[in-house]
Amino acid sequence: MTRPSVRDPARRPWPARLGGALLASGLGAVAKATRRRPIHARGRTWRATLCVDAPVEHLGVPLFADRGVHPCTARLSRAVGTPPGWWDVGGLALRLPGAGSRGADADLLFATTGTGRVSRHLLRPVRETAGRPLTTLLPTRAGGRSFVLLARPLGEQFEIGIGIEGGAWHAVGLLRLDDEVADRALRFDPVVRPLAGTHAPGWVAAVREPAYRWARRLGRP
């Protein structure tokens, strides 16, 4: 008998599907009322460069398999949009041209969290978006293993690290913010534009996918 795929929406765990539906409803309602993004509506955008200088060859993710310099777009924002200095969840979004499957673009989303084995999966309100570590929060999979990415602020740049199976962080390179540009109305979506060699676990897709889909639809002008 063929084992059902966890990527099939009908086979995803019902608690995850319920969580995704509830999150989608909340974000969709905000988007419909405000006619803008329900979260991270305002931010600052840069032309940036990701320099990979300590590859992780065995992970099976082409972006991190070799040394290289990768031009990209970076956006820093605050989840709720509180005034500077107020508590909010910070966010960092990356658009990496050509880093997705078959040469497509790939998106990465980071949020301020802790850095421990458990706290890397827990949102952490901060006063300054770029003042605390950020992670990709929910795990993704590559080569049969689960991993999370870290962006640790270092002045005008970020150290990028990988934590595999909840283990210690391995620094793979630096993200440098080069030139600030006018904030662009990009919609970052790591479910639609994943890194080549990766896929989200079924329960992660079940939580994220409905929320992103309805936020996009209802947030359009």
Side-chain angles (χ1 to χ4, degrees):
M1 180 180 293
T2 302
R3 184 178 179 181
S5 170
V6 294
R7 298 187 197 183
D8 179 357
R11 300 292 185 179
R12 292 170 182 164
W14 71 262
R17 285 187 281 124
L18 176 61
L22 293 175
L23 181 59
S25 299
L27 295 182
V30 173
K32 188 172 184 179
T34 61
R35 307 307 296 174
R36 62 176 175 82
R37 296 179 184 179
I39 55 176
H40 299 285
R42 297 182 180 87
R44 300 174 65 187
T45 301
W46 281 265
R47 283 191 289 267
T49 304
L50 174 62
C51 301
V52 177
D53 54 18
V56 183
E57 300 176 2
H58 62 278
L59 188 61
V61 180
L63 180 67
F64 301 121
D66 297 295
R67 294 176 181 270
V69 177
H70 307 276
C72 57
T73 298
R75 185 176 188 268
L76 287 168
S77 58
R78 300 167 69 81
V80 179
T82 59
W86 289 31
W87 293 101
D88 206 335
V89 174
L92 168 65
L94 296 182
R95 170 72 48 84
L96 293 148
S101 299
R102 299 180 180 179
D105 295 348
D107 288 347
L108 293 174
L109 294 181
F110 297 80
T112 48
T113 66
T115 58
R117 186 180 181 92
V118 174
S119 63
R120 66 185 64 179
H121 303 296
L122 301 176
L123 292 173
R124 177 180 181 178
V126 296
R127 291 185 182 273
E128 296 183 18
T129 301
R132 296 287 183 177
L134 306 96
T135 72
T136 46
L137 186 65
L138 298 178
T140 192
R141 296 189 66 80
R145 285 176 295 179
S146 174
F147 72 94
V148 174
L149 296 176
L150 167 73
R152 192 190 306 274
L154 294 174
E156 295 299 316
Q157 55 191 6
F158 294 84
E159 179 185 66
I160 302 300
I162 295 179
I164 301 174
E165 299 290 0
W169 297 107
H170 170 77
V172 295
L174 291 173
L175 173 70
R176 184 180 69 239
L177 304 183
D178 298 321
D179 303 310
E180 187 170 3
V181 298
D183 190 36
R184 301 171 59 187
L186 294 175
R187 292 190 179 275
F188 298 87
D189 190 333
V191 173
V192 173
R193 288 180 287 273
L195 279 178
T198 73
H199 69 272
W203 69 268
V204 172
V207 170
R208 276 183 161 171
E209 196 172 43
Y212 289 172
R213 182 172 64 249
W214 285 106
R216 284 195 302 268
R217 290 178 180 177
L218 298 179
R220 291 191 184 114

